[in-house]
Amino acid sequence: QVQLVESGGGLVRAGDSLRLSCAASGRTFSTYGMGWFRQAPGKEREFVAGVRRSGSTYYGDSVKGRFTIFRDNAKNTVYLQMNSLKPEDTAIYYCAAREAPMIPTAPGGYDFWGQGTQVTVSS
């Protein structure tokens, strides 16, 4: 069992940066594939970024070049650095973990979820 706790959300202006953190419990964090998803009101949950246990990263098309995902296995934490934020990035951001190396883009491919953190970008 893994517990995930997100932090770092908030209200920012367009063009600003924000860093989200996801702290995971458990001693096997380094073996998990980790992902970030987001969900805006009235929309489906959307894949944002993922990082394999090897460190390989994957991004959704809407955030490529602006967002960076990275992990610190010594701290059991995965981060999402978000630059050049846009109003359309406004959503609840969720951290997710899976007990397998691949990084699926569908939410159903993940075993554990955090409670989410709100990110609001004003224009």
Side-chain angles (χ1 to χ4, degrees):
Q1 189 76 10
V2 175
Q3 292 186 333
L4 305 172
V5 179
E6 302 98 334
S7 62
L11 172 63
V12 297
R13 295 183 176 181
D16 285 351
S17 297
L18 206 58
R19 178 178 291 185
L20 305 182
S21 301
C22 172
S25 65
R27 292 176 290 179
T28 58
F29 173 78
S30 62
T31 67
Y32 285 85
M34 301 297 297
W36 284 98
F37 286 76
R38 66 186 182 187
Q39 189 165 19
K43 295 188 176 181
E44 294 185 351
R45 194 164 293 193
E46 174 191 19
F47 175 78
V48 175
V51 57
R52 298 180 66 165
R53 56 191 181 190
S54 66
S56 298
T57 57
Y58 306 85
Y59 296 94
D61 289 340
S62 62
V63 305
K64 283 181 181 176
R66 299 189 298 123
F67 290 12
T68 302
I69 185 172
F70 58 100
R71 65 192 299 164
D72 185 339
N73 291 335
K75 295 183 177 180
N76 279 17
T77 301
V78 62
Y79 303 92
L80 184 69
Q81 177 66 41
M82 306 186 293
N83 298 331
S84 302
L85 283 162
K86 304 175 181 179
E88 50 264 44
D89 294 318
T90 295
I92 298 174
Y93 283 70
Y94 297 91
C95 175
R98 63 180 262 121
E99 296 175 289
M102 299 300 292
I103 298 296
T105 58
Y110 292 80
D111 304 301
F112 307 103
W113 290 86
Q115 293 300 306
T117 185
Q118 176 71 48
V119 173
T120 303
V121 184
S122 64
S123 58

